[in-house]
Amino acid sequence: MKLRKMMMGLGALVLAVSCQLVVAQATSMPENVSGPLSKAPRGIKIDNYFKVPDESDGIANNSAKIADTDYGDQQAVQLTDANKTGGELGLIWTSDGAEMDLSQNQTASMWLYTGNEMSSSGDGMTFVMQNDPRKLGASAINTSDSANPTPATGETLGVWGDDYDNEKFTTPESLAATGIQNSWALEFDTFLNNNLPDTPDNGSAGNTAWKNYFQDLANSGNQFDVGMKGMHIASGYPGAAQSYDVVDQTFNWMDYDKFDFLHLNGTPQSASYHYAKLLHDGAIDTGNILMGRGVWQHITLNWDAAASKMTYTFDDKDPNTGAAKTGTSRTVAVNQKLLGLTEDNQKIRWGFTGTTGESFENNLVVFEQVPGLVSANATAKLTDETKNQTIDDASDEVNAGDRMHLDYNLTYTGGRESWKSIQAKLNLPSQIKFSSAQISYANGDSQTISGLDSDSVDGQTISAALNQELSSTNASATISFTGKAVAGSDSETTVAATNSSFTGANAITQATLNGFKVAKNDDAAMTLSLTGEGVDATGTLGSQKLTKPADVAVTGKITYTVGTADTNSNLTLYPTLNGTPLPTQTLSNNDAAGTFTYKLNASQLLSGQDNELTLYATDSKGHSTNDVGYTVTLSPGTRELAVGTRSTFNADNPVDMTGTAMTLQPDHNWDVTVNDTKGKGDKWTLTAAATPFISKLRDSLSAHLDYVTSDGSVSNLQAGAAKVMTHTAASDDDVLNVADDWSDTQGLLLKVNSDATQGAYYSTVTWTLGDAPA
């Protein structure tokens, strides 16, 4: 923070009694803003959730603007960009309705550019949360003209209280009154404002000169950073007195007559003045190496709603690759009462301010995640499925031939919009030959990824557009790859870390996969071959067809072409059926060396499709075999309904009609049988409908045919089709005679009315078998 730079020049001890102390100002040629904009990282398009205040909001000459980068239009916020007499002020605030909700966890992720002059940049910028009554018109106030106060620049950074006029502030409270009210700010200060006076030399410049010097210093607005080392990051409350200290200072010296060359008869003199000091909370202060280096640097702010704490981590991503870095973090407690918030309303406007004085810089911001809009994250996880081990450190080692599984997990954690139009750019690690790739969504849907080179081991880049948005109802997506580790030319190959990006229309995030090592492990060579019927000449593929579910035995043999064979009890099979890993199986020492039988149970097979089994094996030293595949094709099975063509009521043991209502049970010649070979778990529904009972000699029978289900519900089959029952097959060959459970209270019943006439009547019952509703 710097309004102007000063240094004192004193004349000769005696001859220059009338000289004045000189104020010198240093400037440098401005950096063209097009340079850093052309090198800006990718960001999200700045939409209507931001507003650049103008004169109608009470902010005149706002230097902030929305700028384009090489990634497209409206990609960056340009707060300041040039030297301007009196300094520049840039402000940007979230628009109404786009506030941050501090009752929920929030994430802000952005890139900052803080100039390219490490020694003379000025002044800096701030991230601000504010509940100032002026809303979009909030800024620090310059009170040098009491009748017409204007927004302040310089070391205020547009947010802190203005200490330029020494007579206007005497206490921390009076200073805080000129800052943005009800606010919390995180400053990125690129100018060290710590200009304290020298101790006067007795008689060196005269009493008047020294008093003028002290007064100039008092009104310089150039002491906020006393005690800091250089460029720094820190936080505080611009509108609260607790963020400031007003320091009183008195200097004493002797004033000598100009002819008193020996300084024998001096007159004691003194001058007092006060200056303002900003109290820096959660400071990251490492001098000029931190900012102003002509590079884009990343910052992530994480708001913990439960703890009411903000954690900010600076320089936590590589600007060239986006890969995660350690960065430097601080966590500070935020007193929401100082923000004017209540338990019922914790929404707050936020934005950026930036200023320059007589030193200047480009202050630029590119957003990756905007608080409250979309909160999202991504992680990468590599698993050695052969070892059942997560690979998460560069020192972790996998063996050549190990089966690898790579997941990129994308998670939507909140926001007022869904995460839209996500484009994944995946930089896959080298030394893995990937064989499959797909995307799985939380809602159960899946998506195939194209463009995978299954022969590449050099590390390939895959681009994929997710065809679904992520939201509270579909909160995650997993991009999965399977493959096999491949050795390099050396006994051990080091695989570099990789970084992948996930760019949506309204949020951007990255995931870094750590490096690892691949051991060549070539002291043995193992081969897995299938044996038995249905196996091709290479021994790597086999097949079998089934007309109905049955157990399948797959046989094979493991042989060593190099090295000493392991015993069977040290050999392990790794089976996968239809893409799902199954429990491993250890070979038995009771079998011949290297031979095995792997059993697929009938219940594991899906009807109506090819069931793909893959196998490979490892030994006790971590050697792996090739893959073999065995296909079991199970016909879809059938579901058949068998119904007797002629069935009766009141024929087995006839009962005469007596002129009263009667209920008749079916005779024993009813047969309604369902034969289901579609497999265990198949579900079906049976319905029935009947025509009225009619006679060739008489009118229709005064009666109706009912079906009473096991739960007591009654349906008149002559009124339309009614559901009789729903059933789930209990076996792969399920047979059910529906009539077996009929009784005098359940099943098919003929209700004869009292006015019915005795005779022979006929009705047609139509039974319909179909799939059970989902």
Side-chain angles (χ1 to χ4, degrees):
M1 297 178 291
K2 174 67 178 109
L3 183 63
R4 53 189 174 184
K5 300 174 69 177
M6 293 184 174
M7 66 181 183
M8 180 182 67
L10 297 179
L13 178 63
V14 176
L15 298 179
V17 173
S18 63
C19 75
Q20 298 294 315
L21 286 90
V22 177
V23 175
Q25 300 169 349
T27 61
S28 60
M29 293 298 294
E31 174 192 30
N32 192 317
V33 73
S34 62
L37 285 174
S38 68
K39 298 176 183 178
R42 181 188 293 274
I44 62 173
K45 187 175 182 179
I46 296 170
D47 213 335
N48 56 8
Y49 35 82
F50 281 118
K51 173 76 165 58
V52 178
D54 54 26
E55 197 164 357
S56 66
D57 301 304
I59 303 295
N61 302 319
N62 188 357
S63 64
K65 63 180 70 174
I66 308 301
D68 303 338
T69 74
D70 286 0
Y71 285 107
D73 59 347
Q74 299 184 48
Q75 285 272 313
V77 172
Q78 180 179 319
L79 293 166
T80 63
D81 70 336
N83 182 23
K84 182 179 179 182
T85 302
E88 282 187 317
L89 170 67
L91 298 168
I92 185 169
W93 299 117
T94 47
S95 55
D96 293 340
E99 298 93 343
M100 189 191 316
D101 187 355
L102 296 186
S103 68
Q104 305 292 324
N105 292 342
Q106 301 285 355
T107 298
S109 174
M110 61 206 73
W111 294 94
L112 306 179
Y113 187 86
T114 55
N116 69 341
E117 295 288 340
M118 291 198 305
S119 61
S120 59
S121 288
D123 282 274
M125 56 179 144
T126 65
F127 169 89
V128 188
M129 301 187 300
Q130 57 100 345
N131 193 26
D132 193 296
R134 294 170 292 171
K135 299 182 178 179
L136 293 171
S139 73
I141 300 173
N142 181 346
T143 59
S144 57
D145 181 355
S146 301
N148 185 30
T150 58
T153 59
E155 74 169 358
T156 70
L157 297 182
V159 66
W160 305 111
D162 183 20
D163 66 339
Y164 184 69
D165 191 333
N166 187 256
E167 296 181 359
K168 296 289 178 61
F169 76 91
T170 57
T171 64
E173 288 76 12
S174 59
L175 188 59
T178 62
I180 293 182
Q181 300 300 291
N182 302 325
S183 67
W184 178 88
L186 179 66
E187 67 171 10
F188 305 90
D189 191 341
T190 53
F191 199 100
L192 190 64
N193 296 90
N194 64 348
N195 193 9
L196 290 179
D198 295 325
T199 302
D201 287 333
N202 288 333
S204 60
N207 183 45
T208 301
W210 279 111
K211 288 188 176 182
N212 289 339
Y213 169 56
F214 292 136
Q215 186 61 41
D216 283 343
L217 279 173
N219 290 330
S220 69
N222 197 20
Q223 291 87 34
F224 265 8
D225 301 325
V226 170
M228 303 300 287
K229 298 176 183 177
M231 295 184 183
H232 53 274
I233 300 170
S235 66
Y237 305 92
Q242 69 183 55
S243 293
Y244 306 93
D245 187 17
V246 176
V247 180
D248 294 310
Q249 196 157 15
T250 299
F251 287 91
N252 299 302
W253 71 95
M254 298 295 292
D255 187 34
Y256 296 97
D257 184 270
K258 61 182 179 179
F259 298 109
D260 186 1
F261 299 116
L262 299 179
H263 291 180
L264 298 176
N265 297 297
T267 303
Q269 301 290 340
S270 67
S272 297
Y273 81 107
H274 57 272
Y275 65 88
K277 179 180 177 182
L278 185 63
L279 303 180
H280 298 80
D281 191 17
I284 301 173
D285 182 12
T286 59
N288 286 337
I289 64 170
L290 185 64
M291 294 181 290
R293 296 188 286 138
V295 297
W296 286 88
Q297 293 172 285
H298 192 269
I299 186 163
T300 302
L301 293 94
N302 289 303
W303 170 253
D304 184 336
S308 193
K309 291 183 177 181
M310 183 75 82
T311 297
Y312 41 93
T313 307
F314 185 72
D315 205 21
D316 58 343
K317 289 185 181 180
D318 186 307
N320 297 315
T321 65
K325 296 168 55 179
T326 301
T328 304
S329 292
R330 296 289 186 272
T331 298
V332 296
V334 177
N335 185 345
Q336 295 190 46
K337 291 182 179 180
L338 295 178
L339 306 183
L341 300 178
T342 65
E343 291 185 2
D344 296 331
N345 181 17
Q346 291 182 276
K347 291 186 177 181
I348 193 164
R349 194 184 305 273
W350 66 274
F352 271 86
T353 72
T355 61
T356 63
E358 293 181 6
S359 293
F360 49 85
E361 68 191 21
N362 291 309
N363 283 314
L364 307 170
V365 185
V366 169
F367 295 98
E368 287 190 327
Q369 289 193 44
V370 174
L373 182 66
V374 170
S375 180
N377 61 65
T379 59
K381 180 181 179 182
L382 181 64
T383 302
D384 186 332
E385 294 188 321
T386 302
K387 294 181 176 180
N388 191 26
Q389 174 185 344
T390 299
I391 306 303
D392 53 14
D393 190 89
S395 63
D396 289 342
E397 184 178 85
V398 304
N399 291 322
D402 285 359
R403 271 51 177 186
M404 310 300 293
H405 186 92
L406 174 58
D407 282 336
Y408 294 97
N409 296 296
L410 282 64
T411 304
Y412 173 92
T413 58
R416 61 182 178 274
E417 294 183 6
S418 58
W419 192 7
K420 304 174 183 177
S421 305
I422 305 171
Q423 299 280 338
K425 183 179 180 182
L426 307 167
N427 293 309
L428 303 182
S430 63
Q431 303 312 127
I432 298 179
K433 186 179 287 188
F434 290 102
S435 56
S436 68
Q438 74 166 15
I439 304 175
S440 302
Y441 296 93
N443 61 12
D445 293 344
S446 61
Q447 174 185 343
T448 301
I449 297 177
S450 61
L452 182 68
D453 184 353
S454 58
D455 292 323
S456 173
V457 295
D458 296 328
Q460 55 188 304
T461 298
I462 301 294
S463 295
L466 276 66
N467 60 22
Q468 295 190 20
E469 298 177 356
L470 298 187
S471 64
S472 58
T473 58
N474 186 30
S476 64
T478 300
I479 307 175
S480 300
F481 295 84
T482 58
K484 181 168 66 173
V486 177
S489 57
D490 297 329
S491 59
E492 185 178 73
T493 302
T494 298
V495 178
T498 56
N499 187 71
S500 298
S501 62
F502 307 92
T503 303
N506 47 10
I508 297 175
T509 188
Q510 295 87 21
T512 298
L513 182 69
N514 290 329
F516 56 97
K517 300 178 185 297
V518 179
K520 196 169 188 178
N521 205 9
D522 59 359
D523 58 336
M526 302 166 61
T527 300
L528 175 60
S529 301
L530 294 172
T531 59
E533 296 183 3
V535 176
D536 69 0
T538 66
T540 58
L541 295 174
S543 63
Q544 184 177 161
K545 293 184 178 180
L546 300 176
T547 57
K548 64 179 182 179
D551 294 343
V552 175
V554 180
T555 60
K557 186 175 183 179
I558 300 168
T559 57
Y560 281 76
T561 57
V562 176
T564 303
D566 233 341
T567 59
N568 279 6
S569 59
N570 286 327
L571 299 175
T572 303
L573 288 174
Y574 291 81
T576 299
L577 180 63
N578 298 326
T580 301
L582 300 177
T584 60
Q585 175 179 309
T586 302
L587 274 60
S588 172
N589 287 333
N590 294 327
D591 296 330
T595 63
F596 65 86
T597 298
Y598 184 79
K599 180 181 177 182
L600 278 174
N601 295 323
S603 60
Q604 295 175 291
L605 302 175
L606 302 176
S607 63
Q609 70 173 59
D610 292 339
N611 293 271
E612 304 288 348
L613 173 71
T614 60
L615 293 168
Y616 74 95
T618 63
D619 65 9
S620 61
K621 298 179 181 179
H623 304 117
S624 297
T625 68
N626 54 292
D627 289 340
V628 296
Y630 196 88
T631 303
V632 180
T633 304
L634 178 60
S635 63
T638 60
R639 188 195 296 150
E640 298 176 344
L641 176 63
V643 179
T645 57
R646 187 178 180 86
S647 303
T648 61
F649 285 93
N650 203 31
D652 288 349
N653 298 294
V655 177
D656 291 334
M657 294 185 180
T658 62
T660 59
M662 303 172 62
T663 297
L664 301 176
Q665 293 181 245
D667 293 331
H668 290 88
N669 54 7
W670 285 83
D671 181 20
V672 183
T673 301
V674 179
N675 296 290
D676 187 358
T677 61
K678 282 182 170 289
K680 182 179 179 181
D682 181 50
K683 294 182 178 181
W684 51 259
T685 294
L686 181 66
T687 62
T691 62
F693 281 88
I694 60 174
S695 170
K696 295 179 180 179
L697 302 176
R698 299 178 176 84
D699 292 334
S700 61
L701 178 65
S702 178
H704 56 90
L705 187 61
D706 286 347
Y707 196 93
V708 183
T709 61
S710 59
D711 63 3
S713 61
V714 180
S715 298
N716 182 355
L717 301 189
Q718 288 163 326
K723 183 170 70 174
V724 171
M725 71 180 303
T726 297
H727 177 72
T728 301
S731 67
D732 295 326
D733 191 5
D734 194 72
V735 179
L736 178 67
N737 188 344
V738 177
D740 285 348
D741 292 331
W742 291 351
S743 66
D744 59 351
T745 59
Q746 190 264 317
L748 201 61
L749 297 172
L750 179 61
K751 301 294 182 70
V752 181
N753 299 326
S754 60
D755 61 344
T757 302
Q758 188 163 314
Y761 299 87
Y762 302 89
S763 172
T764 299
V765 180
T766 302
W767 302 89
T768 303
L769 181 66
D771 292 332

